[in-house]
Amino acid sequence: MVFRKLLSAMGVGGPSVETVLHNPNVRPGGVITGDVTILGGDHPTDIIGVNLALKSRVEVESGDNEYNTNLEYAKARVAGSFQLGPGVRHGIPFSLTVPWEAPLTHMYGRQLHGTTVGVATELEVARAVDATDLDPVAVHPLPAQERVLAAFANLGFQFRNADCEKGRIWGVHQELPFYQEIEFYPPPQYAGGIKQIEVTFVSGPHSMEVVLELDKRGGVFTEGHDSFGRFTVDYATVEQTNWEQQLDGYLQQAGRRRGFF
């Protein structure tokens, strides 16, 4: 599938930009390739540079307020300065590496509503910068992520929502300034103590941290509260582990230790 976005840059008579992704499907740590084509307008234009960046919708907390913004990351300059003549077509092939910590947009073979990833093309000319709309990118789970997510599904957890939040997770090495939370409703065997669970993957080239946030169900005389835990998954040995058993043991142990059950 190919996505095409056309931009009439810098006003009437200015250059236009077309970005084509060869394949919008990718995994964290993978590479997106494509072509940027700039078509000259009615007069010569001095192009200062062409940039690409990934953007995701991220929730930002500021004091007592919350708002969503398209946060830019993984920015790359794909062309420097050149002069573009009237009506001249200038093609730029590109490759853009997707960070290992990029949020997932698909899970269990379906689109993960609540998370967006897209490529933005930015054209710089003298005294002006213009950017295209986002070309959507489909980020699919790594095999290790798929295995852990399958374990949650096999235990009976039901997907609730997913979003990205600006900030850092304490005690975890994190490259991006935000992280994704994938929320699940618990099955009956955990529902008595856990209202929901949020799963965050912080992935690297050889292993990933899985961070769990357990939201305790409040009682008549007690307030609910959150509890955190994490474990490391080695890609080389992920298939040697019974993750259903591991997750169940961890949740039961964490729940008893924190008084959830």
Side-chain angles (χ1 to χ4, degrees):
M1 184 181 295
V2 170
F3 292 91
R4 298 174 184 268
K5 300 287 183 182
L6 190 62
L7 169 69
S8 285
M10 319 309 165
V12 178
S16 61
V17 178
E18 183 182 48
T19 300
V20 177
L21 306 182
H22 295 158
N23 186 345
N25 298 285
V26 71
R27 295 182 190 266
V31 176
I32 300 168
T33 62
D35 296 281
V36 176
T37 301
I38 307 173
L39 181 62
D42 297 338
H43 49 77
T45 304
D46 290 322
I47 306 296
I48 297 174
V50 181
N51 304 308
L52 294 177
L54 290 178
K55 289 187 177 183
S56 291
R57 187 170 65 246
V58 175
E59 181 181 290
V60 180
E61 291 188 8
S62 178
D64 296 330
N65 300 318
E66 293 182 357
Y67 63 92
N68 291 321
T69 185
N70 278 331
L71 190 65
E72 183 178 275
Y73 57 101
K75 189 170 184 176
R77 194 170 188 86
V78 297
S81 61
F82 62 94
Q83 186 175 75
L84 186 67
V88 173
R89 183 179 295 270
H90 184 82
I92 306 167
F94 70 83
S95 62
L96 183 64
T97 300
V98 176
W100 287 98
E101 296 174 18
L104 305 179
T105 65
H106 286 68
M107 186 176 74
Y108 305 140
R110 301 190 301 272
Q111 186 173 351
L112 194 60
H113 295 290
T115 303
T116 61
V117 176
V119 174
T121 308
E122 180 184 85
L123 181 65
E124 295 181 68
V125 301
R127 298 178 298 281
V129 175
D130 209 346
T132 64
D133 294 331
L134 295 182
D135 292 303
V137 175
V139 183
H140 299 270
L142 295 164
Q145 293 171 328
E146 285 183 334
R147 181 63 189 94
V148 173
L149 290 169
F152 276 105
N154 292 337
L155 287 172
F157 285 87
Q158 298 292 320
F159 171 72
R160 176 181 180 272
N161 189 34
D163 61 11
C164 295
E165 297 187 10
K166 187 176 182 180
R168 298 190 175 275
I169 303 171
W170 184 85
V172 176
H173 177 73
Q174 190 179 331
E175 297 287 342
L176 297 185
F178 68 95
Y179 55 90
Q180 182 182 38
E181 291 184 332
I182 303 173
E183 302 176 6
F184 294 93
Y185 288 122
Q189 64 264 36
Y190 308 107
I194 301 174
K195 185 168 65 175
Q196 68 182 32
I197 186 169
E198 298 171 348
V199 181
T200 295
F201 297 114
V202 183
S203 303
H206 306 295
S207 64
M208 67 181 180
E209 296 292 312
V210 182
V211 182
L212 305 180
E213 180 178 350
L214 284 65
D215 187 0
K216 180 180 179 181
R217 186 177 297 279
V220 177
F221 302 107
T222 60
E223 294 184 1
H225 63 269
D226 297 336
S227 177
F228 295 87
R230 78 172 195 262
F231 55 88
T232 302
V233 178
D234 189 324
Y235 300 154
T237 60
V238 65
E239 293 299 334
Q240 300 173 18
T241 300
N242 183 328
W243 286 105
E244 289 78 8
Q245 187 178 69
Q246 286 284 105
L247 288 174
D248 177 68
Y250 175 81
L251 292 172
Q252 294 289 352
Q253 182 183 35
R256 287 193 297 269
R257 187 169 62 246
R258 292 169 173 85
F260 280 26
F261 303 118

